[in-house]
Amino acid sequence: MIEQAFKLGEQLISEGLITSEQLAAALAKQASSGGRLGSTLVSTGAISNSALVATLSKRLGVKGCVLRHGLIDPKVAKSVSKEEARRLRVLPLFRVRDELTVAMVEPQSLPTQDRLRQLTGCDVRPILVLEDNLEEFQNKYQAGEVTVDTFLASIDESEVLITEHEAIDEGPVTDLDRMVDGSPVVNLVNLAILTALRDGASDIHIEPDRNATHIRYRIDGKLRELLNPPKGLHAALISRIKVIGRMDISEKRLPQEGRVHIVAEGREIDLRVSSMPTILGEKIVIRLLDRSNLNFELSALGMRDDDRAAVEAMIRCPYGLMLVTGPTGSGKTTTLYSCLDLLREEANNIVTIEDPVEYQVPLINQIQTNEQVGLTFARALRSILRQDPDIIMVGEMRDQETARVAVQSALTGHLVLSTLHTNDCPGGIARLFDMGIEPYLIASSVLGFIAQRLARKICPSCRTSYYPPPTLLASVGWESRTSELFQKGEGCRECHNSGFKSRVGIYEVMLMDPELRRLVHERANEGQIREYLAQVGWRSLRQKALDVVEDGQSTLEEVLRVTRSESVEVGDPTGAGATEPEPALAGV
């Protein structure tokens, strides 16, 4: 036993942690009831758990800790079976890439470490813990009884009110060298980020309220409230996140932005942090950009073969302007990156102007705007033209100046890709008119438009059949299909009871043919353009969305939510004369 091997009692007396009388009493109790001397000293109140662990770890030359919620990753804790963990007297705590940190009663045991390497395939970093402490948390974590809410309930607010200006390690959130000694707030932020990543969230919202802090995750375009830490934690949470984002923790009156690269569970993640003062305190939004989930295949995003062929035809043109339209959060930037990925080769000089740069891509020169120093989209675009570019991506055409320079660039031998905030492809032409671009310039420079939305996909784990309401079917001209079964998700643990998991893109593509160019040159209105498109069999975003329902990828209710009908009369395929307001959009 460790206590016997190192004459624990004498060492504790020499360090002034216990007295001879306390040692004698503990030895007498140990002789009658058995057990370890260290545990007996703790149970009698002669010494605290933390002091005992500190003494043992110093003598053994390993790090020691007292286990608590937030220090243990529930998923990692189950990486060793319950039976094996009890036999070895271990509990996996967390994993950083290929290194597994494990709580062990006997951290100096090489056979135990070898067995753990064999079971997990990871290098093992041992941490000393007391046996009683280990058994308590083995029972909780390996029985699956612990959630984030359990961790929240264990936090004592009085422990964290002093962490407003705490200096904390800025390393990866799972590189938790200081987690053993870290405050509960540090552990809570780490756990919240890891939970968001595992659930596939794109954003974390941390919002103040009168009685609590609300932590919400945006999953598949929808916000869900997952945590409600006590109000007393809010200032400490904000400070911790500002430290991670390398922001000024003392500035609370002005909005701030930060960015940091982390490694979590072996994945490279970029965090974009934004703070905003509100009347109840600061709100933080963290955008999670998971590089391992990047997929720049147009077909994988949901684009149909005919639309993909049309898009590839546009981007293979030596010069011209291609515009992607849609609301915020509809996936426009991902579509642009997918197009650039097809063009990315050594023969092309590709330059992008973005605000901000979301994904770093090899062989592409990426520029981030900075309006504070005067680096606007328009100014950067003018400078790029002197850099001998072949292909230019402008993150967004926000104003007339940027639009004019982009159009001129397309006319002078460059392929330009950009985005517009309009609802659909015909609306893109009207938007360019509104920005003051002359019709002849639009007709000469624009190759075409892509409009898109993101619809939630039916969860494969709880997929079931159902009959949609007849009025819903009638709204899309499917009155004859009332006896037909459609697909939906019932809701399960995998999809947080929403019935949806992941999203699929819905696209409409409009190429500028000679007749469209003539109509634009004559400044035709949006209704005239839609009338022509209907005559040539062009299919609108709403009609493309119904294809997604036919394929069983999403529900009728969902695609109607994220798209709009351009018709005044129900079922009008021309889509002319839209007057209805835009409904709530996925991802906004």
Side-chain angles (χ1 to χ4, degrees):
M1 294 171 65
I2 293 176
E3 295 91 337
Q4 295 172 340
F6 296 120
K7 299 181 179 180
L8 178 62
E10 288 82 354
Q11 183 180 350
L12 293 173
I13 292 173
S14 67
E15 293 183 5
L17 296 173
I18 62 173
T19 64
S20 300
E21 291 76 14
Q22 288 174 322
L23 176 59
L27 288 171
K29 184 176 180 179
Q30 182 191 24
S32 62
S33 59
R36 293 174 177 266
L37 176 59
S39 299
T40 304
L41 285 167
V42 171
S43 66
T44 60
I47 192 172
S48 67
N49 269 322
S50 57
L52 179 59
V53 168
T55 300
L56 291 171
S57 63
K58 187 189 305 181
R59 189 61 181 264
L60 291 171
V62 297
K63 197 167 186 67
C65 74
V66 177
L67 295 179
R68 61 173 181 269
H69 294 299
L71 179 61
I72 307 164
D73 185 329
K75 183 178 178 181
V76 172
K78 296 180 181 179
S79 60
V80 174
S81 70
K82 184 177 180 179
E83 295 74 18
E84 196 76 20
R86 291 187 183 280
R87 186 181 70 82
L88 298 173
R89 293 189 295 175
V90 300
L91 179 64
L93 301 182
F94 49 84
R95 177 178 171 178
V96 180
R97 298 185 179 176
D98 294 328
E99 183 182 71
L100 183 68
T101 298
V102 184
M104 303 173 64
V105 174
E106 296 183 345
Q108 79 281 18
S109 172
L110 296 180
T112 300
Q113 294 185 33
D114 290 339
R115 178 59 178 160
L116 287 170
R117 291 189 193 96
Q118 182 183 9
L119 291 172
T120 64
C122 297
D123 294 331
V124 174
R125 193 182 87 173
I127 299 288
L128 170 70
V129 295
L130 299 181
E131 189 166 18
D132 291 345
N133 189 214
L134 178 81
E135 290 177 354
E136 175 191 354
F137 282 82
Q138 278 181 334
N139 292 334
K140 292 178 179 178
Y141 279 82
Q142 296 196 311
E145 299 174 357
V146 176
T147 64
V148 177
D149 291 330
T150 308
F151 170 56
L152 286 175
S154 72
I155 295 179
D156 181 355
E157 287 184 59
S158 64
E159 296 179 6
V160 299
L161 294 179
I162 61 172
T163 61
E164 177 71 17
H165 300 289
E166 183 178 13
I168 299 166
D169 182 25
E170 297 178 358
V173 292
T174 52
D175 189 6
L176 304 180
D177 287 334
R178 301 187 184 179
M179 197 168 179
V180 169
D181 301 317
S183 75
V185 167
V186 176
N187 299 348
L188 173 57
V189 171
N190 291 340
L191 194 59
I193 293 174
L194 289 172
T195 303
L197 289 171
R198 287 172 182 163
D199 288 346
S202 61
D203 301 86
I204 305 173
H205 291 240
I206 301 173
E207 303 163 325
D209 202 352
R210 295 189 182 278
N211 301 314
T213 293
H214 299 285
I215 299 182
R216 299 193 289 171
Y217 296 171
R218 188 177 294 280
I219 302 175
D220 296 335
K222 288 284 191 178
L223 281 173
R224 299 193 183 101
E225 186 165 70
L226 296 187
L227 304 174
N228 281 298
K231 181 176 176 60
L233 295 181
H234 187 77
L237 286 171
I238 297 299
S239 290
R240 167 57 180 161
I241 295 168
K242 282 184 173 181
V243 169
I244 291 175
R246 297 175 172 85
M247 300 156 70
D248 183 356
I249 64 173
S250 65
E251 178 56 73
K252 304 174 185 178
R253 300 166 299 174
L254 296 173
Q256 293 187 66
E257 293 184 359
R259 183 168 187 161
V260 67
H261 174 73
I262 65 172
V263 177
E265 297 190 319
R267 293 185 285 171
E268 293 190 0
I269 311 294
D270 285 322
L271 302 182
R272 280 191 1 228
V273 185
S274 172
S275 71
M276 178 67 67
T278 74
I279 59 172
L280 295 176
E282 287 184 280
K283 172 179 176 175
I284 290 274
V285 176
I286 304 173
R287 169 64 57 88
L288 305 168
L289 302 172
D290 187 351
R291 298 183 186 182
S292 65
N293 284 339
L294 290 182
N295 192 334
F296 293 144
E297 289 289 333
L298 291 173
S299 57
L301 300 178
M303 192 172 287
R304 305 275 168 150
D305 291 343
D306 55 340
D307 290 332
R308 187 172 69 254
V311 170
E312 291 183 2
M314 281 192 280
I315 64 176
R316 297 300 178 187
C317 291
Y319 58 89
L321 175 63
M322 185 189 81
L323 293 166
V324 183
T325 73
T328 301
S330 59
K332 300 187 297 295
T333 301
T334 302
T335 298
L336 288 178
Y337 276 117
S338 300
C339 294
L340 292 181
D341 193 56
L342 292 173
L343 299 168
R344 189 164 52 97
E345 55 188 46
E346 291 185 3
N348 288 328
N349 178 21
I350 303 175
V351 187
T352 72
I353 315 166
E354 305 170 64
D355 182 24
V357 174
E358 293 199 2
Y359 300 109
Q360 296 178 24
V361 184
L363 287 180
I364 296 180
N365 304 287
Q366 297 172 272
I367 301 169
Q368 181 160 319
T369 62
N370 186 346
E371 294 194 3
Q372 291 183 345
V373 299
L375 185 61
T376 62
F377 277 106
R379 183 169 180 177
L381 186 51
R382 287 196 191 93
S383 298
I384 284 173
L385 295 176
R386 294 188 285 273
Q387 292 280 315
D388 186 31
D390 299 298
I391 300 157
I392 302 169
M393 186 190 95
V394 182
E396 183 181 345
M397 294 209 312
R398 296 177 177 175
D399 50 50
Q400 184 185 67
E401 184 181 11
T402 305
R404 283 191 175 280
V405 179
V407 168
Q408 292 294 339
S409 303
L411 289 172
T412 55
H414 305 92
L415 177 63
V416 181
L417 315 179
S418 190
T419 68
L420 277 177
H421 279 290
T422 63
N423 292 323
D424 54 18
C425 294
I429 294 175
R431 175 64 178 145
L432 291 176
F433 284 157
D434 291 342
M435 295 176 80
I437 308 302
E438 290 78 1
Y440 75 92
L441 291 176
I442 299 173
S444 303
S445 63
V446 176
L447 299 169
F449 294 84
I450 304 170
Q452 65 184 81
R453 299 291 189 275
L454 292 176
R456 294 178 294 169
K457 295 173 69 174
I458 297 170
C459 174
S461 300
C462 59
R463 177 185 290 270
T464 187
S465 300
Y466 81 116
Y467 295 100
T471 53
L472 191 65
L473 293 170
S475 69
V476 295
W478 285 357
E479 297 90 337
S480 61
R481 303 178 65 173
T482 54
S483 60
E484 185 176 332
L485 283 170
F486 288 76
Q487 300 292 304
K488 73 171 185 178
E490 283 188 311
C492 64
R493 184 175 180 179
E494 290 293 318
C495 61
H496 302 279
N497 293 314
S498 67
F500 299 97
K501 193 171 182 65
S502 186
R503 289 188 288 180
V504 62
I506 302 171
Y507 299 86
E508 68 176 18
V509 180
M510 186 180 77
L511 295 176
M512 294 289 287
D513 62 17
E515 180 61 21
L516 263 180
R517 296 185 190 281
R518 184 188 66 80
L519 288 171
V520 170
H521 201 279
E522 295 176 357
R523 199 180 276 274
N525 61 41
E526 197 171 331
Q528 292 172 309
I529 291 174
R530 292 184 187 280
E531 184 178 352
Y532 165 71
L533 291 172
Q535 291 173 0
V536 297
W538 180 79
R539 304 181 71 231
S540 69
L541 197 64
R542 167 61 62 85
Q543 292 166 321
K544 294 292 186 68
L546 296 180
D547 292 341
V548 175
V549 179
E550 296 270 20
D551 294 343
Q553 295 187 73
S554 190
T555 66
L556 186 56
E557 292 89 343
E558 173 67 7
V559 301
L560 294 183
R561 181 183 71 85
V562 301
T563 63
R564 63 179 284 178
S565 171
E566 298 299 336
S567 60
V568 176
E569 298 180 3
V570 172
D572 178 12
T574 66
T579 57
E580 63 181 272
E582 180 77 14
L585 300 169
V588 174

